[in-house]
Amino acid sequence: YSNETYCITPLPAPSNVVAYPHSTDCGRVDVYWTDNSTGEDGFKIERREWSGGSWQEIATVAANTTSYTNTGLCNGYSYYYRVRAYRGSVYSSYSNISNEATTCLPNPSNLQCSASANQVSLTWQDNSYCESGFSIERVTGSSCTNFSQITTVGANTTSYNDTSVNQGTTYCYRVGAYTPALTSYSNNATCTTSLPAPSNLTATATGPNSISLSWRDNSTGESGFKIYRATGSCSNFSLLTTVAANSTSTNDTTPSQGTTYCYYVTAYTSYTESNPSNNASATTPIPNPSNLTATATGPNSISLSW
């Protein structure tokens, strides 16, 4: 007899590996392949993140299996798969590398905002798993188009305070959960920052047909001030005039003599108007008659003129 020798017949590699992210379960990818071998003990499933990541064995499945469901994955990430058959310590070559499978990324939801004069507070619900963070985006006005990113916040964050706002201005916001592969946006939320009301309004009659008004300007960025006036009691006001931004006084030159007027002032922008200031009243004087003369025009008559 000759010497003895042995050889191991190869295991054909699986082929046609494809991966499909689940349409509603954002942590699941379904992997399929063609089994080209007979007598294998099973298959080894390997996965990597991104096209340049390192391969990791994630599962072993039984002989004659041609699919695998990979669950618990990060939302909004891309994965690649490959498969090889094995029998004992013998392994086939690797299959082809699957297509890129990007899991879905749930949108943040229930975005809400509340505003004060100098801050807008945002809250939302985080519906994703393994997001890289959240993009805070804003646009001035209520059109909610042409958003610009103002900042990003970390993963698992559900609130943000925007202090880069102007008083008396409307802003529209949206929040995007993001990963290196995807960004998914929340609903839009619109808020208007308040405009502090003027204060310390005083009214002083400076002549029969003139009343001087002065107040404290408590706002920044206002477009101007609106002057409201009522005749007599402080009710049934109507707009008298407007004055420029940063004004703190004006003269009303339209009163009638001997009449009481009541005033209030508001600050305004193109988006909103502040609450009214305090009311202030003044009464214009009636000028004294002058140049009175008396002339006797008979035994029982005196003529007066003034």
Side-chain angles (χ1 to χ4, degrees):
Y1 293 99
S2 69
N3 59 297
E4 294 178 352
T5 188
Y6 75 94
C7 65
I8 299 172
T9 55
L11 282 172
S15 59
N16 300 324
V17 177
V18 292
Y20 298 107
H22 198 271
S23 60
T24 58
D25 184 348
C26 292
R28 170 179 165 179
V29 171
D30 296 318
V31 185
Y32 301 91
W33 63 89
T34 299
D35 175 7
N36 296 316
S37 57
T38 58
E40 77 278 355
D41 291 335
F43 297 90
K44 301 287 187 180
I45 317 297
E46 295 187 6
R47 180 189 73 203
R48 74 180 179 189
E49 294 181 12
W50 319 117
S51 59
S54 58
W55 290 103
Q56 292 183 331
E57 185 178 300
I58 60 169
T60 300
V61 296
N64 302 317
T65 304
T66 57
S67 65
Y68 173 70
T69 297
N70 190 188
T71 58
L73 296 171
C74 286
N75 303 158
Y77 278 73
S78 295
Y79 297 94
Y80 296 84
Y81 296 84
R82 68 184 182 183
V83 182
R84 60 178 175 170
Y86 77 95
R87 181 173 181 172
S89 60
V90 178
Y91 289 85
S92 74
S93 298
Y94 284 108
S95 68
N96 62 293
I97 297 174
S98 75
N99 56 295
E100 181 181 64
T102 303
T103 55
C104 53
L105 185 61
N107 299 324
S109 60
N110 198 30
L111 175 63
Q112 298 183 9
C113 64
S114 60
S116 61
N118 300 300
Q119 177 175 291
V120 174
S121 298
L122 304 174
T123 61
W124 62 89
Q125 183 172 315
D126 174 10
N127 298 315
S128 54
Y129 171 62
C130 290
E131 75 278 353
S132 301
F134 293 90
S135 171
I136 313 299
E137 300 185 9
R138 183 184 77 188
V139 62
T140 303
S142 58
S143 63
C144 297
T145 57
N146 300 319
F147 285 93
S148 297
Q149 179 180 288
I150 59 172
T151 193
T152 59
V153 294
N156 304 317
T157 304
T158 57
S159 64
Y160 175 72
N161 292 326
D162 182 9
T163 57
S164 63
V165 295
N166 295 321
Q167 295 180 357
T169 305
T170 297
Y171 296 96
C172 185
Y173 294 86
R174 68 179 183 181
V175 174
Y178 69 90
T179 68
L182 293 175
T183 301
S184 296
Y185 288 103
S186 69
N187 58 294
N188 297 331
T190 301
C191 275
T192 301
T193 54
S194 58
L195 199 58
S199 60
N200 296 347
L201 175 65
T202 62
T204 304
T206 54
N209 302 104
S210 177
I211 294 177
S212 176
L213 304 174
S214 65
W215 62 88
R216 178 183 294 170
D217 174 8
N218 297 314
S219 55
T220 59
E222 74 278 354
S223 301
F225 295 90
K226 295 184 178 182
I227 316 300
Y228 291 86
R229 187 180 75 180
T231 302
S233 64
C234 296
S235 60
N236 300 318
F237 286 91
S238 59
L239 179 64
L240 175 66
T241 190
T242 60
V243 295
N246 303 317
S247 298
T248 57
S249 64
T250 190
N251 288 318
D252 179 10
T253 58
T254 63
S256 299
Q257 296 179 5
T259 306
T260 298
Y261 295 94
C262 186
Y263 299 85
Y264 72 79
V265 179
T266 63
Y268 74 93
T269 67
S270 58
Y271 299 102
T272 191
E273 186 174 353
S274 76
N275 289 329
S277 68
N278 58 294
N279 295 332
S281 296
T283 301
T284 54
I286 298 177
N288 297 329
S290 61
N291 298 331
L292 175 64
T293 61
T295 303
T297 55
N300 303 103
S301 174
I302 295 175
S303 175
L304 304 175
S305 66
W306 60 89

